[in-house]
Amino acid sequence: MIGMQNSKSAFWFRRDLRLQDNIGLFHALKAEVPVVPVFIFDQEILEDLPKQDNRVCFIHQQILAIQKSLEAMGSSLVVRYGKVQDIWPKLVQEYSIQTVYTNHDYEPSAIQRDLVIQDLLTHHGCGFHTFRDQVIFEKDELLTGGGKPYSVFTPYSRKWKASLTQDRIHSVDTAAFSPYFFASPPLPIPSLASMGFQESEATFPPSSPNHEIIRHYEQKRNFPSLPGTSRLGIHLRFGTISIRQLVRIAIQLNETYLNELIWREFYMQILFNFPHVTEGPFRPQYAHIPWRNEEEEFEKWCHGQTGYPLVDAGMRELNATGFMHNRVRMVTASFLTKHLLIDWQWGEAYFAEKLLDFELASNNGGWQWAAGCGTDAAPYFRVFNPTSQMKKFDPDLRYVMKWVPEFGTPVYPKPIVEHKFARERCLRTYKEALDSIKA
């Protein structure tokens, strides 16, 4: 058992890389025991990533920024690289930590990790407290009249808005308790190179919400050549912006944008309440779709060589920047799953590797929506026409020509498949697979 003399608490940063309006950090500091701020570069996660990963560079930049702020307060981050289950016992002993505070994570692997860490800390006489921070409503806080988790967005969003109170979106003043950060000279932070990663030249969007973009969101959001989306996905993913701040802005400025934030929470509660979605379709009958899974066609999709300009532009933008416009995400995902009949999980994994703002719940939910196997009520016959989508949302080809400059020349490939044929093949394949289950 850890003695109380000189004991400290720790706050474990994870998907909440900010000092202000951080619920778990606020509760740690408010307890008026010196708080050791901790970040762990988790080796078990990092070893599966490419050595040039802009997301790791982004995290590293945020850690350096937090360190700079803590230095100004006479404190320091304690940053480690390794396996979390090996690092925590050492930290508990080294800093006489009696309680670890952190914020909830809703992904199945994170939930399992936290159970392991909680048991480990308990064994060392250390408490473990977690808090809701990255969403407004979590887990099973919003239920249907029958007491079950929602599986349809519209009634979920109605319940979300009806249940919203000011205390849910009130920011906590972490700075008021900043004297309770433990006193320390600056401690060393592992370099990217020391963890096997390369520095990146990538530039990241600012974390400050652009009020004018949000104000006119529904007018411009579908046009990929316009600066019509907030580009805050990476900041929500890693918690460099507070969801409470963003919801307050959305309530003031634009309900369509607010609905997008609610979609994010809808998919998070789907992931928490129906964790089988990480292994297969939300609706099990769709596991019987006989995907073609032509690897050569998949490669052409990955590299933006399908002969459909809007699809190709989206994939090339993704490969070059780690970003893809949301309208184009829907078109590219629909094309892979419906036109080519390639398993949505192939596309989900590719986006997970490439997207700067990759977030498991939203990526999984979006791909299942596109493939027609998710929470949508009657979805499988929705097949986007990439040509008509281009004419509607990129009529002057500004977006397409930026990423596919050879479009309209002899070197641009012919379409990989004809739209009418692909659509009919898709509808027939889905219908036969679903009918065979009923028979």
Side-chain angles (χ1 to χ4, degrees), residues 224-378:
S225 67
L226 300 178
T229 60
S230 71
R231 299 295 293 266
L232 291 173
I234 189 171
H235 297 289
L236 283 169
R237 167 65 179 88
F238 294 110
T240 47
I241 187 174
S242 161
I243 185 60
R244 290 168 291 283
Q245 174 194 358
L246 201 50
V247 166
R248 290 197 305 272
I249 292 170
I251 289 171
Q252 289 178 337
L253 298 180
N254 195 295
E255 186 170 12
T256 303
Y257 188 77
L258 177 64
N259 286 337
E260 291 301 304
L261 299 178
I262 299 173
W263 268 108
R264 172 179 171 270
E265 300 206 357
F266 173 70
Y267 282 139
M268 281 203 179
Q269 66 89 30
I270 289 289
L271 178 66
F272 179 83
N273 290 298
F274 305 96
H276 72 271
V277 296
T278 62
E279 305 297 329
F282 175 79
R283 294 189 287 168
Q285 63 267 37
Y286 283 79
H288 299 279
I289 303 297
W291 303 110
R292 293 173 62 248
N293 288 347
E294 290 285 343
E295 292 191 16
E296 187 177 334
E297 293 182 2
F298 179 68
E299 288 300 312
K300 289 181 178 178
W301 176 83
C302 289
H303 295 108
Q305 296 290 342
T306 68
Y308 282 90
L310 188 61
V311 173
D312 293 343
M315 297 307 297
R316 294 184 196 186
E317 179 185 32
L318 173 65
N319 293 332
T321 70
F323 173 79
M324 190 194 295
H325 186 276
N326 193 55
R327 166 60 57 176
V328 186
R329 292 188 198 196
M330 291 191 287
V331 175
T332 57
S334 173
F335 186 85
L336 183 74
T337 56
K338 302 291 181 64
H339 282 70
L340 302 183
L341 282 175
I342 290 176
D343 191 339
W344 60 272
Q345 291 176 294
W346 288 28
E348 180 195 24
Y350 192 77
F351 273 27
E353 178 187 334
K354 297 290 184 179
L355 282 170
L356 286 176
D357 63 4
F358 164 67
E359 196 282 317
L360 175 58
S362 295
N363 191 48
N364 179 275
W367 273 97
Q368 296 223 30
W369 182 90
C373 59
T375 57
D376 211 354

Side-chain angles (χ1 to χ4, degrees), residues 2-67:
I2 299 166
M4 293 297 289
Q5 188 176 10
N6 299 321
S7 64
K8 302 176 184 69
S9 296
F11 178 75
W12 183 11
F13 287 96
R14 296 165 347 167
R15 294 184 51 166
D16 44 22
L17 302 180
R18 66 187 186 283
L19 292 174
Q20 185 54 9
D21 193 18
N22 182 320
I23 301 290
L25 178 58
F26 173 76
H27 283 285
L29 294 168
K30 195 175 157 203
E32 301 186 354
V33 172
V35 174
V36 180
V38 173
F39 183 83
I40 300 171
F41 283 101
D42 189 341
Q43 187 177 351
E44 293 184 329
I45 295 173
L46 297 184
E47 64 189 8
D48 292 331
L49 299 178
K51 296 313 171 189
Q52 174 70 65
D53 192 301
N54 289 335
R55 294 166 296 192
V56 179
C57 296
F58 177 82
I59 292 168
H60 198 262
Q61 287 181 17
Q62 304 312 311
I63 293 304
L64 293 175
I66 291 173
Q67 175 74 325

Side-chain angles (χ1 to χ4, degrees), residues 169-232:
I169 55 175
H170 172 71
S171 290
V172 294
D173 186 10
T174 317
F177 296 92
S178 59
Y180 289 99
F181 282 113
F182 90 123
S184 171
L187 299 171
I189 292 176
S191 67
L192 286 168
S194 72
M195 298 183 289
F197 287 89
Q198 299 169 16
E199 293 283 353
S200 168
E201 299 297 320
T203 56
F204 302 107
S207 61
S208 302
N210 185 313
H211 287 218
E212 282 308 297
I213 285 177
I214 294 173
R215 193 187 313 277
H216 302 289
Y217 181 73
E218 79 281 3
Q219 299 161 23
K220 297 181 179 180
R221 66 169 179 153
N222 281 308
F223 299 91
S225 67
L226 300 178
T229 60
S230 71
R231 299 295 293 266
L232 291 173

